[in-house]
Amino acid sequence: DTGVSQNPRHKITKRGQNVTFRCDPISEHNRLYWYRQTLGQGPEFLTYFQNEAQLEKSRLLSDRFSAERPKGSFSTLEIQRTEQGDSAMYLCASSPESGQALQPQHFGDGTRLSIL
Amino acid sequence: AQSVAQPEDQVNVAEGNPLTVKCTYSVSGNPYLFWYVQYPNRGLQFLLKYITGDNLVKGSYGFEAEFNKSQTSFHLKKPSALVSDSALYFCAVRDLPMDSSYKLIFGSGTRLLVRP
C-alpha cells in the first residue's frame, strides 16, 4: 500500500491557461473521488468514478472541468481556461469496493493550483 | 440534506490536558460519521469512523470519538494532548444512503493548537 499519489504537488499558471492533474489511487481501489478545498474550508466533492465509469458529478464541476479514468486505474482532472476562482487544493481519494460505505476514503496530498 | 457543523474555528489546549473537538450532524437515516486530520500542505488522514455499535469509537494516534444520538453529536477526544496533535481536524458524514457514490460531506474544520 503506497498510498494515493497526486502530481504535480503545486501548479502555478496564468489565467486562461489549461491545466491537468493526475491521481494514482491505491491499487485495487475501485472507487476514486476528486474534491476541491479552498482556504479555510473543508473539501467539497467534485466527481466520482467506479472503475472507469464516471457516475456522479457535482454542480461545482463546470463545463471547463473534465475528469477521466480511462482504464480504471489512474485519473486525470483537467481545467480549461482557468479563472482566479479555480485557485484551490485539488484532492484525490480512493476506497475499495468491498464493505460499501464502511470503508474510509484514503486521500492523496493534493495538487495546489495557483492562478496568477 | 446531510450536513455536519464544527462550531469552533480553533481549539487551544495545553500539552498533557484532555482535548475535545466538537461536531454535530444532521442526516436522513443512519449516520455514517468520520474524523480526518490535515497537516499543513498535506492531504487528509483518516482517524476514525462511526457506523454502528458502541458509542465510543477508538481510532488512530490515541484519538476517540463519542457518538451521541440524542444530541446529534460526534465529538473527537483525546485524554492527553501532544504538541504534534496540532493540525486541522475535519468531521464528515457520508451522503444519503441511496447515493451510490458514498461521497463525504465535510465540516468547515477546526484548528487545534496544543501549546507546550
Side-chain angles (χ1 to χ4, degrees):
Chain A
D1 183 352
T2 57
V4 178
S5 176
Q6 291 189 246
N7 289 288
R9 289 295 314 280
H10 300 95
K11 180 69 177 179
I12 301 173
T13 191
K14 293 182 179 179
R15 183 164 51 94
Q17 297 297 306
N18 299 344
V19 294
T20 300
F21 312 139
R22 176 179 170 125
C23 170
D24 288 89
I26 294 171
S27 58
E28 299 179 356
H29 277 193
N30 304 81
R31 297 170 175 268
L32 186 146
Y33 305 81
W34 285 98
Y35 292 85
R36 182 172 69 185
Q37 184 180 21
T38 54
L39 201 61
Q41 299 297 319
E44 296 175 293
F45 170 77
L46 292 178
T47 190
Y48 157 68
F49 289 85
Q50 183 167 329
N51 298 312
E52 67 277 7
Q54 187 175 19
L55 297 183
E56 186 174 345
K57 293 193 293 185
S58 163
R59 286 174 295 177
L60 293 175
L61 215 64
S62 75
D63 292 343
R64 296 184 297 105
F65 288 70
S66 63
E68 294 182 340
R69 194 183 182 194
K71 297 182 179 180
S73 56
F74 73 91
S75 176
T76 58
L77 177 67
E78 180 182 15
I79 309 174
Q80 295 182 329
R81 305 180 303 282
T82 53
E83 301 174 355
Q84 290 283 352
D86 296 333
S87 295
M89 174 82 89
Y90 290 84
L91 294 165
C92 177
S94 69
S95 67
E97 178 71 24
S98 62
Q100 299 179 354
L102 307 185
Q103 298 298 327
Q105 293 176 24
H106 298 265
F107 284 79
D109 284 338
T111 295
R112 183 169 295 284
L113 174 63
S114 298
I115 306 299
L116 302 177
Chain B
Q2 317 285 76
S3 67
V4 292
Q6 295 181 243
E8 304 156 315
D9 290 336
Q10 184 164 310
V11 170
N12 298 310
V13 65
E15 187 174 32
N17 283 0
L19 70 87
T20 298
V21 182
K22 296 180 180 178
C23 172
T24 58
Y25 65 88
S26 175
V27 301
S28 301
N30 295 323
Y32 295 155
L33 298 160
F34 302 80
W35 275 103
Y36 283 83
V37 60
Q38 186 177 34
Y39 295 96
N41 298 314
R42 301 296 300 274
L44 279 68
Q45 295 179 29
F46 169 73
L47 283 178
L48 50 80
K49 65 184 178 185
Y50 174 82
I51 304 297
T52 187
D54 291 341
N55 290 341
L56 187 64
V57 179
K58 293 192 180 298
S60 305
Y61 314 119
F63 283 93
E64 56 192 25
E66 185 173 9
F67 173 73
N68 188 316
K69 187 173 183 178
S70 63
Q71 297 185 4
T72 63
S73 67
F74 187 55
H75 300 333
L76 182 70
K77 300 183 178 186
K78 188 173 183 181
S80 178
L82 300 172
V83 172
S84 57
D85 292 331
S86 298
L88 195 55
Y89 290 81
F90 290 97
C91 181
V93 64
R94 199 204 71 181
D95 205 359
L96 294 170
M98 67 284 291
D99 176 5
S100 64
S101 74
Y102 306 130
K103 62 181 178 288
L104 295 175
I105 297 170
F106 288 88
S108 56
T110 298
R111 185 166 302 280
L112 173 67
L113 290 177
V114 182
R115 59 184 184 275

